[in-house]
Amino acid sequence: MTTGLRSRKGSTMRTPEEFLEDNGFNTRMLDRTQLVAAFNREMEEGLAGRPSSLKMLPSYVSPEGELQRDVPVTVLDAGGTNLRGATVEFPTGSDVARIEHKEKGEMPGATAYVSPDDFYATFAAHVTRTAPFAKNPAIGFCFSYACETNPAGDGKLLHWTKQIQAPEIIGQWVGAELIKRLAPKPSRLLVLNDTVTTLLAGKSAEKPGAHYSAYIGFILGTGTNTAYVEKNANITKITDAPVGGSMVINAESGGFAKIAQSTFDKAMDAKTHDAGAQIFEKMIAGAYLGRLGLEVLKAAAKDGFFSKEAAQGIQALGSLESLHLDNFCADFKTDAPNPLDRIFTSATDRAMARRLATPVFERAAILTAIHLAAFIVKTGGGTNPSAPVCVCIDGSTYYKTRAVSFPTIVQAELDKMLGPRNISFELAVCPDDAPMVGAAVAVLLKR
């Protein structure tokens, strides 16, 4: 069952807005209350181990406890094509982490096959290099790939993304394999998802004297995901959860599927290599907004919304980057050519194209707010205005989109949805180098 759309009564006029609505694409048709409820039902199902479009992966890491101050610790950050190593510490009286001895290199396997020994040797070299400066012998490791996590805080690689060429690593417990190659051995090594470290980075940004009642980590860039803190008693699908307390859950929220797709969403999804998967991610994340906008414009061309020349041009366009659609809708010019500027040469066609395509970004921002509202509600926090829910947000789509302001729309939508519930929250800009900061928090919390 999908939810989130209200029907619209027919009209004899065909404005661009009616064209979008008739195809199931209109922000007015989004039922915020129903979608928040649908998200929460899927969360509950995932926590119980029942079929759900949300994986709700336990991290076995908690943000509870006081942060050790003035204690540098070694951190690793593996994501995309880059690998970074550094030391991180949290100075007394400051809400800004101190990052030192930072070096960046290529992720092993990013451009060519790498053997397991050479793979782990690259990480071990960063540990050896930073060890003399670390006062705490633990290691925080942000490993931004699909992993199963165990109670010891290790991560078993399920599969590679981003074209990494290291097939033997799949199925290995990455932390344990790295420890085998380290001397001396660390006191512990925690392998963490990047959304989990984003959440923990919010913990580090607490100003002296401030207090948050709950934490959420949210990333909206090329892809999207959310992590939040759940009571261990509610994670009934695992039998090895600690008694009492709480832990961070990696929801894999881009997989949410209980939402109605428009005609354009379905057309775009059918052309992806993972059709039928990551439904929600394909509605809000940067990797897909350009593709979605192209489907809107091509359908509008068939419906006669553009001149003959513009219609032919858009139909002939094979692909469209999100950056190009965003810059076009914002009328932002760069030195690089934009294919939409070449196609929509008349003022009339340009205005019509922007009127049709800008809602792609508007809807993405509103859906972002709806799903953040669901997680804020799920935390159970924010009942006291002096202890709001901290939502730590990272990602280029959220902060750098020009066609609309995601921060402005998300704040306004959340105010409308959560204000009547008397739930307090704070949208926090993630600290710089959030993956490394959050990885350090994970090993420096005193419990």
Side-chain angles (χ1 to χ4, degrees), residues 191-372:
V191 178
L192 306 149
N193 174 271
D194 57 346
T195 315
V196 175
T197 58
T198 297
L199 181 152
L200 294 172
K203 171 80 173 182
S204 76
E206 262 184 344
K207 297 186 182 300
H211 174 64
Y212 293 123
S213 55
Y215 300 87
I216 291 172
F218 173 60
I219 297 175
L220 181 59
T222 304
T224 191
N225 193 17
T226 311
Y228 80 108
V229 182
E230 181 60 80
K231 292 179 181 177
N232 291 332
N234 294 335
I235 314 170
T236 57
K237 68 178 178 181
I238 58 175
T239 58
D240 50 7
V243 177
S246 61
M247 74 170 71
V248 180
I249 295 292
N250 167 18
E252 293 293 336
S253 60
F256 179 68
K258 302 301 182 180
I259 183 169
Q261 293 175 285
S262 71
T263 302
F264 316 119
D265 293 304
K266 293 175 182 177
M268 185 268 286
D269 180 39
K271 296 174 182 175
T272 61
H273 73 277
D274 59 348
Q278 296 298 101
I279 296 299
F280 192 72
E281 181 172 74
K282 290 170 183 174
M283 292 181 167
I284 72 170
Y288 305 98
L289 297 181
R291 305 183 199 186
L292 184 56
L294 183 58
E295 295 295 337
V296 172
L297 294 173
K298 287 191 172 188
K302 289 182 180 178
D303 238 36
F305 280 92
F306 303 121
S307 67
K308 180 180 178 180
E309 294 76 17
Q312 290 174 341
I314 199 66
Q315 293 293 2
L317 190 62
S319 63
L320 181 62
E321 296 292 329
S322 297
L323 178 63
H324 288 148
L325 183 65
D326 183 28
N327 286 345
F328 174 79
C329 289
D331 197 17
F332 181 80
K333 306 298 182 185
T334 69
D335 293 336
N338 189 323
L340 296 181
D341 290 332
R342 185 185 70 250
I343 293 169
F344 299 115
T345 57
S346 75
T348 300
D349 281 333
R350 285 197 300 273
M352 181 59 70
R354 289 179 178 127
R355 192 170 164 183
L356 286 159
T358 301
V360 169
F361 298 100
E362 292 172 342
R363 189 190 67 165
I366 293 170
L367 287 176
T368 293
I370 290 170
H371 110 287
L372 285 178

Side-chain angles (χ1 to χ4, degrees), residues 38-67:
F39 258 106
N40 277 278
R41 284 194 299 271
E42 287 293 276
M43 284 188 255
E44 293 290 349
E45 295 298 297
L47 290 171
R50 294 188 289 266
S52 172
S53 58
L54 298 178
K55 293 181 181 177
M56 307 300 285
L57 302 174
S59 71
Y60 297 95
V61 171
S62 170
E64 296 174 354
E66 292 297 319
L67 196 56

Side-chain angles (χ1 to χ4, degrees), residues 174-191:
V174 176
E177 290 296 324
L178 177 55
I179 288 174
K180 290 178 183 177
R181 295 161 170 86
L182 296 176
K185 306 298 184 187
S187 57
R188 61 174 174 158
L189 193 157
L190 296 180
V191 178

